[in-house]
Amino acid sequence: MSSTPHDPFYSSPFGPFYRRHTPYMVQPEYRIYEMNKRLQSRTEDSDNLWWDAFATEFFEDDATLTLSFCLEDGPKRYTIGRTLIPRYFSTVFEGGVTDLYYILKHSKESYHNSSITVDCDQCAMVTQHGKPMFTKVCTEGRLILEFTFDDLMRIKTWHFTIRQYRELVPRSILAMHAQDPQVLDQLSKNITRMGLTNFTLNYLRLCVILEPMQELMSRHKTYNLSPRDCLKTCLFQKWQRMVAPPAEPTRQPTTKRRKRKNSTSSTSNSSAGNTTNSAGSKKKSAATNLSLSSQGLGAIPNCSLNPGRDGGDLCHSTAVTPAGQFKEKH
């Protein structure tokens, strides 16, 4: 009976990834497996070019790597950029490590528009040490990875939070030095701090200084300037960004609305209303004069703004007597 694509032992002529339903060739967790294989192919002759090619294969150009752990003097958190990542992995092997790989258990994947996030709460970084003594170190913690959602599927952010670590020494070595108390005392001492070698810790401390200097280094490499000129240029550009006023948002031009012309009916109504108001005001003034004349005395105020002798304003009124004579009162 010939095998079919539904057979679990079916071997496709197009490779082992032919039957995957995801739109990519591999799953995100498989990229960690590929990275472990690449680290195992490292040799003692691997130079900076090899490590740079390793970082280019598995990390994005703007990738960041973060390590969080707690030492005797308190919690630590180090974040390095893409240019410092190759050197970080090389320092692990420079500290006496002969093998390095990562184990992910029960990881959770979440897909977004442009990235894939892998959250593994049970991640183990296993390092095999050949010196100062043969020891296997298991560093356990939580690993959160963010991959780009493309064909390369490279790591954009790497965050490893270390919770605990264990250093395992083979029983055979203990049996060989059972009669030597000095060797046993040396075997009982830890060779790492939170699973990291002193080479790696010193490099992370150095990265605190190197990370802000990446702009100077890239400018020196691009424009071939002296370190002093690079520093002057960077400081001047930063000063310009601080002094320059923030860009105002563009305002949309307001469209002027045309006033509507009054219709003929409204004009006639307004004119009729004005005529009525004027007639009413004339009637009111006539009634007022009539009431004043009926009382026998009417006062018509006449104020002037010209200053008088004492510097004040003159205000006089004209009184009308019953006989019809005018008499001014100051």
Side-chain angles (χ1 to χ4, degrees):
M1 181 178 179
S2 60
S3 59
T4 61
H6 301 285
D7 188 357
F9 299 99
Y10 170 72
S11 178
S12 172
F14 300 101
F17 312 112
Y18 176 69
R19 291 182 290 114
R20 291 187 183 272
H21 298 286
T22 56
Y24 299 99
M25 295 295 293
V26 295
Q27 294 180 354
E29 191 172 345
Y30 188 78
R31 289 291 289 167
I32 302 300
Y33 171 75
E34 291 180 338
M35 189 177 70
N36 292 336
K37 289 186 63 177
R38 186 73 69 249
L39 290 173
Q40 291 176 1
S41 65
R42 181 202 65 91
T43 61
E44 295 295 335
D45 299 331
S46 298
D47 53 2
N48 295 333
L49 295 177
W50 189 93
W51 286 111
D52 193 36
F54 163 80
T56 303
E57 181 180 358
F58 295 100
F59 290 90
E60 283 288 328
D61 296 336
D62 57 345
T64 58
L65 187 146
T66 303
L67 291 176
S68 302
F69 49 89
C70 188
L71 295 179
E72 296 83 0
D73 55 347
K76 305 293 180 181
R77 181 188 175 97
Y78 297 98
T79 301
I80 60 177
R82 164 64 181 80
T83 55
L84 301 177
I85 290 177
R87 182 63 179 160
Y88 161 76
F89 283 96
S90 65
T91 56
V92 175
F93 291 91
E94 290 175 2
V97 175
T98 57
D99 193 9
L100 166 65
Y101 57 93
Y102 293 86
I103 301 175
L104 276 63
K105 295 181 180 179
H106 309 293
S107 60
K108 300 178 181 179
E109 301 177 1
S110 57
Y111 293 82
H112 309 282
N113 292 332
S114 59
S115 62
I116 306 174
T117 303
V118 177
D119 190 350
C120 182
D121 194 58
Q122 300 181 18
C123 176
M125 181 183 70
V126 182
T127 54
Q128 192 73 49
H129 294 253
K131 57 182 181 180
M133 62 191 68
F134 188 81
T135 309
K136 184 178 182 179
V137 181
C138 297
T139 307
E140 300 174 354
R142 181 182 181 183
L143 180 62
I144 301 177
L145 302 175
E146 182 182 358
F147 293 85
T148 55
F149 211 173
D150 55 10
D151 296 335
L152 296 178
M153 196 176 290
R154 296 189 298 181
I155 300 172
K156 191 173 183 179
T157 57
W158 172 299
H159 190 179
F160 187 35
T161 304
I162 300 175
R163 287 194 295 262
Q164 61 181 356
Y165 74 105
R166 294 173 297 164
E167 296 186 359
L168 308 177
V169 180
R171 291 177 178 269
S172 58
I173 296 180
L174 295 176
M176 289 173 56
H177 304 281
Q179 305 300 327
D180 193 345
Q182 294 183 355
V183 176
L184 291 177
D185 183 62
Q186 187 179 2
L187 292 174
S188 63
K189 295 180 180 180
N190 293 333
I191 62 175
T192 64
R193 299 177 63 187
M194 291 303 294
L196 303 175
T197 62
N198 290 329
F199 279 82
T200 304
L201 289 175
N202 292 334
Y203 177 71
L204 292 176
R205 296 190 189 101
L206 185 62
C207 287
V208 177
I209 303 174
L210 293 177
E211 188 65 33
M213 296 178 62
Q214 292 302 308
E215 186 177 358
L216 297 176
M217 296 178 182
S218 62
R219 189 173 296 275
H220 170 71
K221 186 177 182 180
T222 304
Y223 300 102
N224 197 17
L225 298 175
S226 62
R228 185 180 296 273
D229 293 338
C230 292
L231 181 60
K232 287 181 180 180
T233 307
C234 292
L235 290 177
F236 179 72
Q237 290 183 354
K238 185 171 292 187
W239 175 80
Q240 280 185 329
R241 289 193 295 267
M242 293 173 61
V243 174
E248 296 182 356
T250 57
R251 297 179 180 178
Q252 296 181 354
T254 57
T255 57
K256 295 183 179 179
R257 296 183 178 180
R258 295 182 179 179
K259 295 182 179 181
R260 295 181 178 179
K261 295 183 179 180
N262 295 331
S263 60
T264 308
S265 60
S266 62
T267 306
S268 60
N269 293 335
S270 61
S271 60
N274 294 335
T275 307
T276 306
N277 294 335
S278 59
S281 60
K282 289 180 180 180
K283 291 180 180 180
K284 288 182 181 180
S285 59
T288 305
N289 294 335
L290 181 60
S291 63
L292 289 174
S293 59
S294 64
Q295 292 177 1
L297 183 65
I300 304 174
N302 186 10
C303 297
S304 174
L305 296 178
N306 296 327
R309 295 178 182 178
D310 299 334
D313 296 339
L314 292 179
C315 185
H316 59 275
S317 61
T318 304
V320 183
T321 60
Q325 298 178 354
F326 294 93
K327 181 179 180 181
E328 293 186 357
K329 295 174 65 178
H330 295 278

